[in-house]
Amino acid sequence: MHNRSVSVGWGQYTAFGLRIASELKLPELVLSASGAAEDVIIRQADLTAWSDQLEQTNYVIQGERFVLQIPGTAIFAVREGREIEVCPYPGADMDTVRLFLLGSCMGILLMQRRIFPIHGSAVVIGGKAYAFVGESGAGKSTLAAAFRQAGYLMVSDDVIAVKATASEPIVYPAYPQQKLGLDSLLQLESLQGNKHVRPQKHRLVLTSGYPALPQYGELLKLTGEWNKYAVPTVDEFYNEPLSLGGVFELVAEPSNQLPAVTEQPLNVLGCLHTLLLHTYRRGTISRMGLGEWYFGTAARMARKVEGWRLLRSSSAFTASEIVQRVLELIHKEENSYGSH
């Protein structure tokens, strides 16, 4: 248990199923009621003593402490799944500091707590969380945004926190923000006339001067992310744990001959391979000594969830077609269970 006097007056937040007390302001996160004991504390600290060790590599693992350097931004130390220390470099952009704090650092902290971090986006369909995974540019966040436009709530973007319980995998919501590229934002705007899309109440102007888009206010351009913007999703965020119903792997194929979307069901081994391939920061797992836990957890999850691979043409914007196909596949699965 942490010394409560240390964090008096700090921000109190929730994310990934954790109560967080932070010396740094974290406007992206959901505020929590003060008074409850925190699971994680985030504080500023002088970590420059690690500089020599970080010259050769950008991270050092020492027991239950993971020290990470983002050149020009900050040094972070993540310890025992309970504490993140932050040492920003002089003149660092604090939006970028938070980007890595809530991304890479939280991914490491989740693994230290034996919570499985899937790299992808997740939405709520039929009372369960469904994860969308894929390589960079496959369309994970864009598809999740298309589901939001169609009236479905978002659970997570980038890091999906999953606890493999004895009965089923449970997803803990992240925080109400998406990272979306300019192309995706403009393409999603073009869907506004679609009958499946909810009308938006607000107008938005990109801070870099692009035309108004149908979202929430002024969008922050993410430093260090090529043409990506932080899109708040407060009104479309589901903030309670729920079971993981399935995993969809998006694969973009450079072909004009493909139909809008083609699905391939995944068996247990295929689902296991997909979970292993799309684990957040998976390159660090063996160095953290978590290989056995990692593989065993992924294997248990693969036996409990449904999996599909969705092939789409990379030469067309297919988000609305994929939304409809995903819903058909899930309803078909639910009906097949109901017939037994």
Side-chain angles (χ1 to χ4, degrees):
M1 186 67 67
H2 298 299
N3 179 355
R4 293 286 301 154
S5 63
V6 171
S7 56
V8 169
W10 290 9
Q12 305 285 328
Y13 308 96
T14 59
F16 305 104
L18 303 170
R19 294 180 297 274
I20 299 169
S22 178
E23 186 177 3
L24 281 71
K25 285 186 168 55
L26 302 174
E28 297 85 354
L29 301 191
V30 176
L31 291 169
S32 70
S34 57
E38 65 272 0
D39 302 302
V40 176
I41 63 170
I42 298 172
R43 69 172 92 224
Q44 296 201 67
D46 183 358
L47 300 173
T48 53
W50 291 89
S51 297
D52 289 345
Q53 292 185 65
L54 291 166
E55 274 186 9
Q56 304 302 319
T57 176
N58 281 333
Y59 67 88
V60 174
I61 299 171
Q62 189 182 80
E64 280 288 304
R65 176 177 285 170
F66 190 109
V67 184
L68 171 69
Q69 175 188 231
I70 306 299
T73 296
I75 300 174
F76 304 92
V78 187
R79 187 170 61 86
E80 297 178 348
R82 297 186 176 278
E83 182 177 81
I84 302 176
E85 294 177 322
V86 185
C87 179
Y89 283 117
D93 176 72
M94 291 308 293
D95 292 333
T96 307
V97 171
R98 295 198 309 276
L99 187 68
F100 285 99
L101 173 62
L102 298 177
S104 297
C105 293
M106 288 304 301
I108 296 300
L109 182 132
L110 291 172
M111 284 190 274
Q112 289 178 343
R113 298 182 73 94
R114 308 305 187 262
I115 296 172
F116 197 99
I118 298 175
H119 188 196
S121 300
V123 298
V124 185
I125 304 171
K128 294 182 179 181
Y130 286 85
F132 304 114
V133 302
E135 299 298 332
S136 178
K140 306 179 290 290
S141 294
T142 305
L143 181 57
F147 268 101
R148 283 197 296 106
Q149 283 193 338
Y152 293 84
L153 298 180
M154 193 190 82
V155 178
S156 186
D157 185 63
D158 202 29
V159 183
I160 306 169
V162 186
K163 184 77 172 177
T165 67
S167 58
E168 60 183 350
I170 300 296
V171 175
Y172 291 93
Y175 52 95
Q177 178 176 287
Q178 275 201 288
K179 290 191 292 185
L180 287 170
L182 177 61
D183 285 349
S184 295
L185 287 165
L186 294 173
Q187 288 166 329
L188 288 163
E189 180 182 27
S190 71
L191 292 180
Q192 287 302 300
N194 189 308
K195 62 182 170 60
H196 298 295
V197 174
R198 290 186 307 177
Q200 297 286 346
K201 299 175 185 174
H202 310 290
R203 297 294 295 176
L204 126 79
V205 177
L206 294 181
T207 54
S208 52
Y210 284 98
L213 297 174
Q215 286 285 0
Y216 293 95
E218 288 199 344
L219 279 193
L220 173 70
K221 191 174 190 300
L222 295 169
T223 307
E225 294 268 355
W226 177 251
N227 254 352
K228 281 202 171 181
Y229 294 82
V231 179
T233 61
V234 175
D235 294 339
E236 300 140 328
F237 181 63
Y238 189 88
N239 199 26
E240 296 291 337
L242 70 174
S243 62
L244 178 64
V247 177
F248 291 88
E249 181 182 25
L250 301 179
V251 179
E253 295 282 357
S255 170
N256 294 319
Q257 308 305 315
L258 280 176
V261 56
T262 305
E263 77 275 359
Q264 300 171 346
L266 298 176
N267 59 18
V268 173
L269 280 179
C271 199
L272 171 60
H273 177 264
T274 297
L275 290 170
L276 294 175
L277 183 62
H278 299 292
T279 304
Y280 194 81
R281 299 293 182 259
R282 64 190 173 100
T284 64
I285 290 169
S286 60
R287 297 189 180 215
M288 294 172 68
L290 295 177
E292 186 178 341
W293 163 80
Y294 169 55
F295 188 85
T297 302
R300 287 203 310 278
M301 288 166 56
R303 289 193 292 268
K304 297 283 188 180
V305 302
E306 299 299 322
W308 295 268
R309 180 173 292 116
L310 299 176
L311 304 176
R312 71 171 185 86
S313 171
S314 59
S315 59
F317 184 68
T318 54
S320 56
E321 290 89 345
I322 297 176
V323 166
Q324 294 309 308
R325 193 68 193 116
V326 165
L327 294 175
E328 288 168 8
L329 288 169
I330 291 172
H331 292 152
K332 183 177 176 182
E333 197 67 40
E334 288 172 347
N335 291 337
S336 69
Y337 277 127
S339 66
H340 293 310

